[in-house]
Amino acid sequence: MANVHYRVVEHEGGWAYKVGDVFSERYATHDEAREAAERAAAGQMLPGATEDIEFQDEAGDWHEEVSLGRDRPETDVTG
C-alpha cells in the first residue's frame, strides 16, 4: 500500500502543505495550513468507485488498469 506524506512548511511569506515537491496554496497561519493538510489527507483515504483507467508512462507507452475504489493510500501529516 502506498503512503502519502503531507508536510506543513513555511512558503512565500506564509504557510503551505507539501506533498513530494508540490506545494498547496499559501495560508496565513500554520494552523490553517495544518487543518487544510489534515482535510486533504483524510479525503485521500476515502474509498471511491472501481474504475478502468488509462495512463501513459515516461517512455510514452499506454497502459490500461482497473483502479479499485478501496485501494487507498495511507496518509500522515507532519509539521
Side-chain angles (χ1 to χ4, degrees), residues 1-2 8 12 36 40 43 58 60-61 66 77:
M1 177 171 291
V8 178
E12 295 182 348
E58 292 176 358
D61 297 321
V66 174
V77 179

Side-chain angles (χ1 to χ4, degrees):
M1 177 171 291
N3 292 306
V4 179
H5 306 285
Y6 291 75
R7 199 163 38 105
V8 178
V9 296
E10 290 186 65
H11 183 61
E12 295 182 348
W15 295 89
Y17 63 84
K18 189 174 179 183
V19 177
D21 293 332
V22 179
F23 289 93
S24 70
E25 63 189 272
R26 188 182 65 80
Y27 295 90
T29 69
H30 179 276
D31 287 345
E32 290 175 335
R34 175 81 187 201
E35 290 171 8
E38 289 173 355
R39 282 192 308 273
Q44 193 154 17
M45 292 189 305
L46 294 174
T50 296
E51 298 186 26
D52 294 327
I53 61 171
E54 293 182 29
F55 64 94
Q56 189 174 21
D57 66 20
E58 292 176 358
D61 297 321
W62 282 92
H63 304 270
E64 295 180 5
E65 290 184 1
V66 174
S67 176
L68 301 176
R70 66 182 187 280
D71 186 18
R72 307 306 304 152
E74 292 185 12
T75 62
D76 62 67
V77 179
T78 59

